[in-house]
Structures are given as C-alpha cells and as structure tokens.
Amino acid sequence: MTTGLIPGGQTPDPRPSGARPPQQRRDHTGPGALHVDDRPRSSVITARAAASFEPVGRSVATARSFVRDTLQGWGFADIIDDAVVLTSELVTNAVVHAGTHAEVLCLRSDDGVRIEVADRYPEREIPLQGSPATMGSPDREGGRGLQLCAAIAGRWGVEYTPTHKQVWFQLELPDRPVGTRAAGPSLPADLLPIADSRVRVAVVQIDGAGAVSAWNEDAEELFGHPADQVTGKPLTDIAAWPHTPGTSTGIVEALQLSRWEGSYGIRGADGRVTPVYASHLRVRDTGGEPSTVCLLVRDHERAVLQTPLRVPASDPPVGSDGQSTDPFEVFIGSPAPDDLDGLLQRTVERARDMLDADSAFLLLATDDETELEVRASTGLPSARQRFARVPVEAGPGRYGSARMPAVHEDLLAVPGAVPLLNGTGMRSVVTVPLKVEGRLTGSLGVAAESPGRYSNEEALRLQFAADRIALAVESARLGELERLRRGSLSFLVEASDLLAGTLDRDQTLALMAQMAQMTVPTLATWCAVYTIADQASDPYLSYVLHEDEELIDGIKSLLSKIAPPDPVPTPGARVWAAPAEAAHDAALRSSMRSLGLTGGPTHQVSSGIGPTLATASAVGGETVVLPLVARNRVIGMLTLGKPTDEHFRQEILELAEDLSRRAALALDNARLYSERTAISQALQRSLLPPELPEIDGVEVEVIYRAAGEGNEVGGDFYDVFPISDGAYGFAIGDVCGTGPNAAAVTGLARHALRLLAREGLSGPAVLERLNSAILDEGARSRFLTLLYGEMRPQEDGSAELKVVCAGHPLPLRLRQDGTVEPAAEPQPLLGVIEDLELYEQTITLDPGDVLLCVTDGVTERREGARMLGDDGLADVLTACTGLTAGAVAARIMRAVERFASDAPSDDMAILAMRVA
C-alpha cells in the first residue's frame, strides 16, 4: 500500500493524469434511481488522504484500516462504520473481483466526507432506473457495492475514463447539537476521583521521526525536564514503556496509530519514573507532515483524560434527540435487509468491521439442531464454505461447544479447533452463539490473520451484538423455510404441468434435465439423466446439462468412460463417488503429462489440460443418484452433482426426490406413447403408395395432408401406377370419416384397384367389383367417393384419359387459354348400393393442359359461413396457366391454407397432371 497526505485547501482533480473528464456523474436519490449529479463541487476541501492497494485479498482489510484511521484522525467517529462498510465492498470489487489495483481517496470538506474508490477495470455496467436487481445479486460476496451506496450514502455515483472506473460516495456529517456530549451522575464528594489542587496536563508533540518537537510548562513541572533539553530527542529516551508478554504494540507503533489511550511511565530529571495516563492523537500540519499530540497526566488523575466506559449492555443506546435507539438497528443499520441472506451478509460484514477482522462467518442450526450450517461469510472462500455443515457438539479438538462463547488466540496451537477456517490463513478467532429462548439457533464468528487479536472483551462485544440480532435472524430463517416449502410445492406443480404437456420421449428427457437446472444453484450445478430401455439393457447416458454450457461436453465425455450407477429401485438419493474419483484421476494424469512426468512430449497434451481440470472442478464434489421408478421398474436415473467440497442440503434432496417420481411417470408414459405411435405410423406408412412412376410426356404431382395429430394416412387416398405397356392408372378417393378406421378402407380400396386394373378390367368393372368388396365388410364398411381413370400418352404429344367419377368432386381441366371446365360427369358413390351401373368418359389433354383432381377437404374448406367450393377452386386454377404440375398443386394448397385461419379438420389430397 502506498499513501499520501496533501494539505487542506481546494483539492486538485483526483483523476489520473491524461484522463478525459467524465461525461456524467450519477447520484442516488431513491431506490433504483440514477440521476445526473450536476451540483458544482464548490465545497472547500480541508483535508485529503490517498492510498493505493495491490490486487490481493489482504488489501481489503488494509483499506478498511486506512479509512478508519483517517476518519478517526479527522474526528468523524459518527460516520466511520458506514464509511468502512462501503469502502470494504468497493475495494473488494476492485482487488478481488476485478483483479486490479484500487486507489482510495478521502476528501474532507465543510459539509461532509467524500470517499472515491477507483480501479483499472473500466467496464461500463450501471444499473438501469427501476431495475435495482441488476445492481448485483445479494446471494454472493461481490457485487453489492452500488446497492450499499444507494442504501447508506447521502450521495453517490460512478465516473468513467478510458482506463479507470471510479465509484464515489459522500457521507453527510450528522448534526451535532450544542450542549452535552457525555455526562455522568451527580456523586457525593467522597466518591469523586482524587487529584492535586492543581491538575497539570502535559502537552507533548512528537514529530514524524518520533522526536519531541513541543514541550509545555506543565510537562516541565511534572517531569523536571526543561523544554530545550528534551526538544529534538526521541520520546523513547524518556518513556518507560511496559513490555507485556504477548503484546506486540510498542511505543513506536502506538505513535503511528490515529488514536491511542493508555498508561506508561516518563523518566524525570531525577531518574525516577512517573506513572502517567496518556491520550495520543495523530495529526498533520498544513504542509502534510504527520505528528502526534500527547496529553499526559499523573496516573492517579487519569479520570481527567480517560474515555468514559461503554454503555452497559442492559442500557439501550440513546440518540441525539434523546429517544432510545434500537440496538438491532445500531448494529445492522437502517433500513435492515428484508431477506435472510441479505440480513446474514450484513451481519457478518458489520461484525467483521466492528472488531476490525479479516473475515467473519455465520452458521445457522439445522431443523434438528444437531448441526450448524454455514449461511454467510466474508473474507472466506464463500463458494466453498456455503451450506457446509459441522456438528454442534463434536468433543475436544473441534468447537467444544457452540453453545458458549469461545476465543482462540492461535489456531496453529490447536489444529482443527474451527474446521471451517482450515487452510484459510486465519490465526485467531472468536465465536459466540445465537440463542432464542434458550435454543441454539446459530453461531457468529470473526477471525483475523494474526494471532492474539481477540480477548474476552471482544467476545463480550460480539455476544452483545449476537443477542440483539438472534431473534431477527430466527424470524427470517423461519420465513425463508416457509417460502422454500411453498416454492417447492409451486415448482413441483409447474414441473408436473410441463411434464404432462408432452408425450415425446426426447422432449421429456430434456424437460427433466432443464427442470433440474432451473433451480441452479439451489438444486444442482450439473445433472445427467440415464435411461434403461428394458430390464435386460444397461443404463444409457441420455442427457447432460451444466449451468456453464462449455463444460457439458467434458462432463459427458467423463461420464461415458465410467460405469453407470447401479439401477437400485430403493427410493431416495444415494451418493455416487465414481464421477468425482474419475475426474480427479483424469486431472492428475493430465497435470503429470503436462509436466513431462510420463516421458511424453508436453505439447501433445497441454491443449487438453484446461478442459480436463475444469471438468474435474465441476464434477469433483458430491454426486447423488435418484432412481426413476415407474410401474415397479427402474426406467432410468437422475444424477445431480455439485462442484468441489459442496454438499446437498436435505430439503434439496427431498425436492429432487419428488421431482424424480413425477419425471419417472412422465418418462414412462412418453415411452409407451412413443412405442404405440411408432407402431401406428409404421402401419399407416404401409397404406401409402410407393413413389410415383415417371410417365413420358406427362408431369404428375401429389400433395397429401392427413387431419389429426400423429396421422400420416386418413380417409383420403391417391394412387398412380402402371397397368400395362403405355397405360397408367390413377385414382383419388375419400372414405367417409378420418383416422385409423377410415385408413383401413383406404388400404382395401388402393390394393383392390391395382389388382383389378392389372387383370385387364375396364374402369366401370373395376369400380363395381370394388363396391362389392366394400359391402362385404358388413358393419365395418364405409361409403367411398372415387375418381378412377386410365391414361395413355399419344404419339402426337397429347394424352388420352378414360375416367369414372363415382360420387367424387369432378376433375377440372385447365386449357392453355386459361379456361377451366369439368372433365367428367358425376355418378353414384361406392359402398351404398349393390347393383351399380357405371360408365367411363374419354377426354383428350392437349400439350400444356392440366387435369386437377382434389378431395372434398379442399372444396369444403370453411371460414365461418364462407366455403371455398367448386367455383372458388376454379378461380384459383384459372390463374395457374403456364405453371408446372408441381407449381399448380402448391398454389392450390397455399390458397386452401390461406382461406381459413383454423387448422384443417378434414383430410386433403391434390393430384395434378400436366401434359408437357
């Protein structure tokens, strides 16, 4: 850290040299609001202190101490806590999250204190008005700096330059009414402290080098040294400083502190040591040079200088207006967070700042009060510690008992005393319980990197704060538990609706994985779904999802190389250690190869070490497997995983178990539906004709649409097939009804037409025998409209057609001049009467002519009371002159679809033939 002190007066621009002036300054006046700060900076700057901090975690604590000492030196104790909290958040964002140096500038003016924190990561992320949620998630350690500025500071804003981002806030000084600041009760004369008839207060000023620069008359009278004999000499020459074992603060260190108060001795001119009580204040002159002013009295007269004792815990604090102040609000601040995570995070931050610690943590008891669960921390790897659990009573060497306050002066002397702090670099810690009506509800702890930082006095201060917040924390915890239960029920209801909304197997699998991912990170970080086709099949890895899409392929590759979990039908989640072990082994092998420990060239594996280590980090934690059981059979498994050192909470596993039961039933229903649909579609495809034959000189095009979901064949059908050399049969028909029953008659008609036509029968004879076959079906028979014809291309380029129209919509002939006319006459339909007398008609299609054949699903297309009809179809066909057969069929279908907005309710078939 580098610091600088600049004398008072108008401050120079604190921005880096060469930086552009900021385009705008934003100022907060209400929740979620951002406004341009156009107030001129006309306040006189009376003091300025600056410091720069390196991008390391320890810099956050150093920055807090810098701001605390600066404001204490300026006499602004009223706003120190707020300033330290805001500075801590902003410096954390800079040195920890952004990874850059942080520059802190403190400015004192006549109307308040302005603190500016600049970093070298000028990313322009400013929350939009009315969207306070975009200012950062309160569930993580970083990202709350702007939210705290908005809640605490009187004014705040963000300024940008091409190389820096600067967040500033201003804290207004509270009104200090003229009158009593502190007072004590009236006492009888015999209870007053003893002092000489004249109390002498020695005023000694020590310069930056530790030498005496001023020595008043009372100092000469008390110690016998004339001013000219001690001026310029180090204070250590005449000071008798106590050397208490275990205390590292000496006189040199005490003189560097912004404030210090305590006892030591001064050697007089006669060689005798006079015990004194001293109050030190660190100041600086107008040239920026620091010095320390020391006020000293005889030790038995310490009441003259000694700071009054802290208000007893039983007495509520009193505000400046004389009214009692809620101790909870004093500690937490106002307004208090209305959510549990926000309240816990504010608690650990205030506890850390109150004891000037490097880290703090808060644990809540589980429902059975047998374990404590980490719910908030600061200065610790929160992603690793969150929701970790420790026993309440673990015996010697652990917590001992979380029901009592505990102070550990040096964790190295008692390894494992506080398991959560193992490997964090913390040396001293104090923990206190949170109790409500005698029940243990949690534990609050603060820790420091240096040993011996805390004593019983700090434990009592922390316990006082814990007693004030315990009830609020327990109330918020119960509220969160109720919301979690309601949210779980709501989530399961929505999951059931989603799963019931589809019968597609692949989509059901995707929904299962996505629903597990929807609650990330509450439910899991990654998930995988295994399916089992039948009892003789092994589990198959069907789906893998991770909150980071770049890791999905790595996890899928890792899981495919290990044996799947056993399909055990026992309900509930069970731990599966294989993925974590495989991930660790793969990462170790990659690391060894990258170091050349296997003898191979390192450049061949260096490109793969990154994904392998990333996969190991993602999969290396706890993995649980939940069976998917339906109809007393395991049809798959749902696998949920957490990163390294994270564990699943019991309520999350219960939610996942409920989800797995619903997912198993939906997956089994989708499997059965898929199997039946596949059988149905295979049978339906067998009813469709094979590919259309190629006819010399004639273009043939067919468009077919079956009504109903999942149907490929309905009551409408078509066919074009060769009969003999140079002759081709064609047919288009409509069976009464739709769906599988109509499709059965469709198959009978299509196959009968081919067989009878190839026997050499004429068109009327073919249809008469088909009529008899339909009537032979008895109750299953359905009437049928059918247009059947035979085509023979001629040598002159025309085509001769012989057609029979048995109750079917008449075919339309489009000539080259655009005229449209029916190409046949109507005759009785099939499947109604036994004795039919049918006849065929012969027409000739000239080159360029088109014959259009459709079913009634085309002509009876409706939109309200309107119907397309034969005339409407003829109008559309008139505009198709010169088009190919395919273009004619496509235009007809497009016109039919556009005629009405609703989906078609009847099957439709279009057969277009054009003589080239």
Side-chain angles (χ1 to χ4, degrees), residues 495 498-515 529 531 543 628 635 662-671 673-674:
L498 286 174
L499 291 171
T502 178
L503 289 173
D504 182 82
R505 179 179 176 277
D506 293 337
Q507 189 173 358
T508 302
L509 287 173
L511 283 174
M512 287 173 53
Q514 289 171 0
M515 283 187 294
V529 178
T531 56
Y543 223 95
L628 301 177
I635 63 173
R662 289 166 168 78
L665 183 59
L667 183 61
D668 195 52
N669 289 337
R671 178 185 62 83
Y673 177 79
S674 298

Side-chain angles (χ1 to χ4, degrees), residues 538-717:
D538 293 330
Y540 173 74
L541 181 61
S542 300
Y543 223 95
V544 176
L545 270 180
H546 190 280
E547 57 182 348
D548 184 354
E549 294 183 358
E550 295 182 356
L551 297 178
I552 293 179
D553 291 338
I555 298 176
K556 186 180 299 183
S557 175
L558 178 70
L559 294 178
S560 63
K561 296 177 182 178
I562 61 177
D566 295 331
V568 179
T570 305
R574 69 182 192 275
V575 177
W576 184 29
E581 295 174 355
H584 294 162
D585 292 344
L588 179 60
R589 288 194 300 271
S590 296
S591 299
M592 294 179 64
R593 288 198 301 268
S594 67
L595 298 174
L597 299 181
T598 59
T602 60
H603 67 274
Q604 294 182 357
V605 296
S606 60
S607 61
I609 185 173
T612 301
L613 295 179
T615 302
S617 177
V619 185
E622 187 176 60
T623 302
V624 296
V625 178
L626 298 103
L628 301 177
V629 181
R631 298 175 177 87
N632 298 322
R633 185 174 74 86
V634 179
I635 63 173
M637 288 161 289
L638 176 63
T639 304
L640 305 175
K642 287 276 192 178
T644 305
D645 293 338
E646 287 205 14
H647 302 282
F648 286 95
R649 301 172 64 186
Q650 184 61 35
E651 53 266 32
I652 297 302
L653 294 179
E654 293 174 357
L655 174 60
E657 187 175 354
D658 286 339
L659 175 63
S660 67
R661 285 195 293 267
R662 289 166 168 78
L665 183 59
L667 183 61
D668 195 52
N669 289 337
R671 178 185 62 83
L672 294 175
Y673 177 79
S674 298
E675 291 178 355
R676 294 180 182 180
T677 300
I679 295 172
S680 174
Q681 291 177 346
L683 293 175
Q684 291 185 56
R685 282 193 292 270
S686 68
L687 301 178
L688 293 174
E691 295 182 358
L692 298 177
E694 294 185 2
I695 304 176
D696 293 337
V698 179
E699 299 174 358
V700 180
E701 183 65 30
V702 174
I703 296 180
Y704 183 82
R705 296 285 190 273
E709 183 180 358
N711 291 330
E712 295 188 19
V713 176
D716 291 4
F717 69 95

Side-chain angles (χ1 to χ4, degrees), residues 301-317:
E301 298 172 339
R302 65 168 56 199
V304 176
L305 299 180
Q306 189 173 28
T307 302
L309 295 177
R310 187 180 297 107
V311 178
S314 58
D315 298 335

Side-chain angles (χ1 to χ4, degrees), residues 213-233:
S213 60
W215 187 268
N216 73 342
E217 294 180 357
D218 281 356
E220 292 184 6
E221 185 67 26
L222 285 174
F223 310 124
H225 296 289
D228 58 349
Q229 291 184 2
V230 295
T231 301
K233 292 184 178 180

Side-chain angles (χ1 to χ4, degrees), residues 449-531:
E449 295 180 352
S450 57
R453 284 280 297 276
Y454 305 115
S455 62
N456 290 339
E457 181 181 359
E458 282 77 16
L460 292 176
R461 290 180 61 193
L462 191 62
Q463 185 67 71
F464 176 80
D467 292 341
R468 294 305 183 269
I469 67 170
L471 183 59
V473 169
E474 178 66 4
S475 177
R477 186 184 73 86
L478 294 177
E480 182 203 53
L481 183 60
E482 179 64 21
R483 287 191 298 272
L484 179 61
R485 289 173 178 170
R486 292 183 180 181
S488 299
L489 291 175
S490 176
F491 171 72
L492 290 174
V493 169
E494 293 180 6
S496 298
D497 290 342
L498 286 174
L499 291 171
T502 178
L503 289 173
D504 182 82
R505 179 179 176 277
D506 293 337
Q507 189 173 358
T508 302
L509 287 173
L511 283 174
M512 287 173 53
Q514 289 171 0
M515 283 187 294
Q517 192 190 29
M518 274 192 330
T519 54
V520 167
T522 304
L523 192 59
T525 303
W526 66 271
C527 63
V529 178
Y530 288 86
T531 56

Side-chain angles (χ1 to χ4, degrees), residues 144-266:
R144 297 182 306 274
L146 297 183
Q147 287 179 314
L148 289 178
C149 287
I152 298 177
R155 299 174 61 83
W156 67 278
V158 183
E159 298 177 357
Y160 290 102
T161 71
T163 58
H164 285 67
K165 179 180 70 179
Q166 176 182 283
V167 182
W168 62 269
F169 62 88
Q170 182 163 328
L171 300 174
E172 308 297 336
L173 297 178
D175 294 333
R176 297 179 177 177
V178 177
T180 303
R181 293 291 308 277
S186 299
L187 295 175
D190 57 348
L191 296 180
L192 296 175
I194 299 175
D196 290 348
S197 57
R198 178 186 174 188
V199 177
R200 298 184 181 272
V201 179
V203 180
V204 181
Q205 190 161 3
I206 311 300
D207 61 21
V212 177
S213 60
W215 187 268
N216 73 342
E217 294 180 357
D218 281 356
E220 292 184 6
E221 185 67 26
L222 285 174
F223 310 124
H225 296 289
D228 58 349
Q229 291 184 2
V230 295
T231 301
K233 292 184 178 180
L235 179 62
T236 55
D237 288 354
I238 59 174
W241 194 265
H243 295 283
T244 305
T247 302
S248 59
T249 303
I251 187 170
V252 176
E253 289 80 10
L255 292 175
Q256 298 298 318
L257 300 177
S258 60
R259 284 184 180 274
W260 186 90
E261 188 174 325
S263 300
Y264 54 92
I266 297 293

Side-chain angles (χ1 to χ4, degrees), residues 427-447:
R427 295 285 299 276
S428 55
V429 62
V430 53
T431 61
V432 296
L434 300 176
K435 293 184 178 181
V436 175
E437 298 179 351
R439 295 185 301 105
L440 179 69
T441 60
S443 178
L444 176 63
V446 297

